[in-house]
Amino acid sequence: MEEVRIQNNDRTVSFRVAEAAGEFIVFDMSLTSPTRNRTTYSGTNFQDAWKAVESIIGETAIPNEFKKHATS
């Protein structure tokens, strides 16, 4: 599993890729978010996963290590 943590001001997101399962997981690590609502996306569509990331931290560039998933 690959993971990158992205921070913007007081918000932090963990973006994980489970390549064997073809799954993307977006987890809101911000302390301002209630624990029960921290996983904001879990599924197989990269574009939907990245939208979940940006809904938490705002518009941001896709990290180089995940660009291969964005184009597939």
Side-chain angles (χ1 to χ4, degrees):
M1 181 176 292
E2 294 178 75
E3 176 186 23
V4 67
R5 293 182 184 189
I6 307 163
Q7 186 170 354
N8 185 3
N9 297 325
D10 64 341
R11 305 298 302 266
T12 305
V13 171
S14 168
F15 186 86
R16 300 172 186 166
V17 179
E19 288 195 58
E23 184 176 19
F24 304 100
I25 303 163
V26 177
F27 186 76
D28 186 349
M29 299 179 69
S30 309
L31 296 177
T32 57
S33 176
T35 303
R36 69 184 177 281
N37 296 333
R38 288 193 175 180
T39 298
T40 59
Y41 181 82
S42 178
T44 59
N45 185 293
F46 180 86
Q47 296 305 322
D48 289 342
W50 200 253
K51 285 179 189 175
V53 167
E54 290 186 330
S55 74
I56 298 167
I57 62 170
E59 189 174 328
T60 189
I62 298 170
N64 288 335
E65 59 265 38
F66 293 136
K67 285 186 180 180
K68 63 185 175 190
H69 300 291
T71 59
S72 57

